[in-house]
Structure formats: structure tokens, C-alpha cells
Amino acid sequence: MIVADSIPIIRPDVLYHEVEHDVRGVLASGILTSGRHVADFEKAVADFVGVDHAVATTSATTALHLSLVALGVEQGDEVLVPDFTFPATANAVIQTGATPVFVDSGIGDFSMDPESAAMHISDRTRVIMPVDPFGQPADHLALARLADDVGARLVVDAACSLGATRDDRRCGAHGNMGCFSFHPRKVVTCGEGGMVTTDDRDLAERLRLLRNHGAAKKSTPGLEFVEPGFNYRLSEIPAVLGLSQMRRIDQILLDRRTTAHRYDGALSQVLGVSVHKTPPCATWSYQSYVVVIDSGLNRDAVIAKMAEADIETTIGTYACHQNPAYATWCQDPAEFPNSALFADQSLTLPLVPSMTTGQVERVVEALVTIVEDM
Ligand SMILES: *Cc1c(COP(=O)(O)O)cnc(C)c1O
């Protein structure tokens, strides 16, 4: 009997020979916290995204928190967030003392629905904070118009969307700020890391100040603490890892899109499985390849059966309103029908670097057999 290798959801695309020289250099220099490599990494991401400034942080979660604090978001303010997201988006809002206002997804679209968002705008709305789920950009034009109408800001949780585009802009360049993640589940990884991107020089300066304890340089020795800040600094070795992947980011994205399009082709006619289509104004980064299993079928049983075939799959992501942490802010589950459907029925398939057609076929065949038997 031939035993097939197991197929994981994702594999970090870090190559030892690409980082060895710089990691040795960092260790030899003794500069382990933020230094030259962090600055180079920031420049590489800013140039790639097409913005003037990028500020590296320890994670997307701290990037989101820093962005909101930089805008002065505080208790009494409201921030619109999607219900269907990794809950770090909502946590960052709650940590500022502001109120998260959860918004449903669209039909056949994982991201924040602009029409639902419009219904939740109030005179306390300070920020609209959409997510680009799995690297599928939200409708930032519509959401920016909505924000402009009421004098609110647009901060994008772009944790998954490095390299995706919508309306001729790369993700991270929509709205006032974009926040990336470099967690191992993302397109580029540092192990842990994040970054805020912006075209606003004053905001970038404030992000840098708050990232480093709120401390500014003085002409005399020592620092001046201008306001209470945080330590959200990225350090050098993670920056070396991130930078090594930014040097071949086009190749990384091409590889992910090639695999995704193979899946699209193989799954387009499969009963019980639906695949969302890229709108003509967008390109996706495919941080994850996510399908939706029909409501009559048990998604969790699909995950268990795929595991028996040595294929790792998982849920898409969470509906915040289904989690006790957010009960205070989500009184009525009936408000989130699309998000609830996606949370219950979405399924992430493996998308590893250089995935072979044979691996894609094996995943598709297993999925088709399992769904047919249900
Ligand atoms: C991964 C993710 C985060 C959290 O990123 P970290 O870098 O782990 O803090 C936040 N939002 C979304 C949408 C994510 O997918």
C-alpha cells in the first residue's frame, strides 16, 4: 500500500539560505531590537504597497491597536468592525475603551457589507474598520465614501491581504491606514510581526512615537516622554525573515494564485461546495483558500473526514457574535445571518508553497468523495 504524505494547511515560506547571512550579521552586531533590517523591511513593504510610510509592530493586533490610539479613539467612540473575522479586530477596538459595532458580511462575500455598515453609522462613529478576509479586499471605495460622509476614518485590517488589489490600489493603501500581519498563517511571515501602512506623514510620526513608549529624542541626553505609549517594536531577526520573502513577493503571490486557480477550476462544478468569485475590480492574495459547504452538510464532519485522509483543513474564521467575549455588543444573533452561515459552513483547504497539481487533485478528490457520501 502506498501511504500518501499528509498535506498541511500552510507552510511558512522561509528559506534558511536566504536569511543565514543577515541573521549572522544581526548576532554579530549586537543590535537585536529595531535597527537597520526593520527599517529596510518597512521600506520594502511601503514601496510594494505604494504608500509613503510603514511602521513595523509586533503583530497585526498591536498594529490595529496602535492605529486606533494614534487617531485618538477612546471611550464613547464607536468603531464599525465586521462580525465575520478573527476576533483580534474587535479586541483592538475594545482595548481602546471604544465600542465595537458589529456589521454583517454580504451575500456571497465574506467582507463587511457596505449597506449593513451604513445602517450602523451613528454620530459617535469615529472609525470604520473593515477586514480583507483571507486576502479578499472589502469594498473600500464604498466604505471610504461612507466614512467621509460622517467625518469618520477608514482603518483596514489588511492582516491577510498583502499583495491583493482592489480598484487599482494594493491592499494597505486603502483608507487612512492599513494593518498587516506576519504571523505564519499569512502570505509573508516573521514568526510574529505586523505593520501599519499610511500616506499620512503626521500619523506615521505619531505611530512611531506611540510604538516606542511615547518617547521622543531631545537635544540633551535622554528622552522626553510626550505621552504614555507602548512597546510595540519589531526586532531585527524577525525583520530579516520578512525582508527575505519581500524580495520574492511577486513569485510568492503568483504561486498562491496558480494553486488557487487550479482549485477554482476543479471545484466550480462540485455539488455541495461553493467558491466565491473574484470581482473584476480585484485580485486576491489567497492567504487562505476558503470554500463554503452547503447548509445541509456538516462542515465539522468534513474537517474530521479530511483529517482521516491525512489532509489538514480548518474552519474559515469566526463570527464574533457566536463567542461569549462579545455578548455585550451582540445582543441579537439574527442581525448576522451571512456571517453566521460563513462561520458554520466555511472551510479552508490546504495551500502550501509550490503545491503540486497532484496534491490539489488529492484534496479535491477527497472533498468530493466526502461531500457526495453525506
Ligand atoms: C491573523 C489576523 C489577525 C491577527 O494577526 P496577528 O499578527 O496574529 O496579531 C487580525 N486580523 C485578521 C483578519 C487576521 O486574519
Side-chain angles (χ1 to χ4, degrees):
M1 184 181 119
I2 298 168
V3 180
D5 291 334
S6 63
I7 306 178
I9 290 270
I10 193 166
R11 198 176 55 237
D13 197 1
V14 182
L15 303 174
Y16 184 68
H17 72 267
E18 288 185 358
V19 300
E20 185 182 7
H21 177 266
D22 286 348
V23 169
R24 280 177 194 278
V26 169
L27 296 178
S29 75
I31 300 168
L32 299 183
T33 182
S34 301
R36 175 167 81 78
H37 295 93
V38 170
D40 288 350
F41 185 36
E42 291 176 334
K43 179 151 192 343
V45 173
D47 289 350
F48 175 73
V49 166
V51 293
D52 291 338
H53 310 278
V55 179
T57 59
T58 49
S59 70
T61 307
T62 54
L64 290 165
H65 186 230
L66 198 66
S67 303
L68 294 174
V69 175
L71 291 173
V73 171
E74 60 188 5
Q75 192 169 5
D77 295 333
E78 292 179 353
V79 178
L80 267 54
V81 293
D83 183 59
F84 184 63
T85 182
F86 187 75
T89 320
N91 289 348
V93 174
I94 294 163
Q95 250 106 54
T96 66
T99 303
V101 176
F102 291 93
V103 178
D104 198 12
S105 304
I107 292 169
D109 183 340
F110 293 125
S111 68
M112 179 188 278
D113 176 34
E115 278 179 35
S116 306
M119 294 193 300
H120 286 89
I121 291 281
S122 83
D123 54 9
R124 299 203 300 172
T125 308
R126 283 288 305 279
V127 175
I128 302 179
M129 202 155 87
V131 173
D132 299 326
F134 319 120
Q136 306 178 8
D139 187 351
H140 297 303
L141 281 185
L143 293 167
R145 264 196 304 275
L146 199 57
D148 281 349
D149 285 349
V150 295
R153 304 297 195 99
L154 186 73
V155 176
V156 182
D157 180 342
C160 306
S161 58
L162 185 69
T165 65
R166 181 142 185 172
D167 300 305
D168 303 318
R169 273 173 178 262
R170 283 229 164 101
C171 287
H174 300 108
N176 300 95
M177 287 178 275
C179 299
F180 290 109
S181 172
F182 303 111
H183 179 276
R185 275 286 309 268
K186 315 300 179 178
V187 175
V188 163
T189 185
C190 299
E192 299 281 4
M195 206 173 287
V196 185
T197 48
T198 184
D199 274 325
D200 186 324
R201 196 169 60 97
D202 294 340
L203 268 179
E205 213 165 280
R206 207 165 142 62
L207 291 164
R208 289 182 194 284
L209 181 83
L210 288 165
R211 173 179 65 174
N212 188 30
H213 305 288
K217 286 204 176 67
K218 282 195 306 181
S219 51
T220 52
L223 299 164
E224 180 171 52
F225 289 84
V226 183
E227 62 180 302
F230 314 95
N231 175 2
Y232 284 170
R233 295 185 309 258
L234 188 68
S235 56
E236 284 287 90
I237 289 178
V240 166
L241 305 195
L243 199 50
S244 73
Q245 294 150 77
M246 286 310 294
R247 291 194 187 103
R248 54 183 166 81
I249 182 68
D250 292 330
Q251 180 53 43
I252 289 171
L253 289 163
L254 178 65
D255 179 54
R256 299 193 74 75
R257 286 187 184 125
T258 303
T259 301
H261 294 152
R262 281 187 186 133
Y263 272 134
D264 283 347
L267 290 169
S268 62
Q269 306 294 332
V270 174
L271 269 147
V273 178
S274 44
V275 179
H276 289 178
K277 293 211 166 52
T278 318
C281 59
T283 51
W284 291 351
S285 64
Y286 294 101
Q287 175 262 338
S288 292
Y289 188 86
V290 179
V291 300
V292 182
I293 304 296
D294 280 5
S295 305
L297 306 173
N298 184 334
R299 187 269 322 264
D300 294 348
V302 175
I303 294 175
K305 293 216 168 90
M306 292 292 279
E308 283 169 25
D310 249 346
I311 298 168
E312 188 189 7
T313 58
T314 186
I315 67 165
T317 194
Y318 300 87
C320 291
H321 80 272
Q322 295 176 341
N323 291 269
Y326 312 103
T328 319
W329 300 282
C330 306
Q331 306 284 2
D332 183 7
E335 266 195 73
F336 312 104
N338 300 324
S339 170
L341 171 77
F342 296 147
D344 295 342
Q345 299 301 125
S346 61
L347 177 75
T348 303
L349 301 180
L351 207 176
V352 295
S354 310
M355 195 158 172
T356 64
T357 44
Q359 285 176 310
V360 171
E361 278 163 15
R362 212 181 110 204
V363 174
V364 170
E365 274 165 28
L367 182 63
V368 168
T369 309
I370 289 164
V371 169
E372 271 173 0
D373 286 351
M374 280 184 143

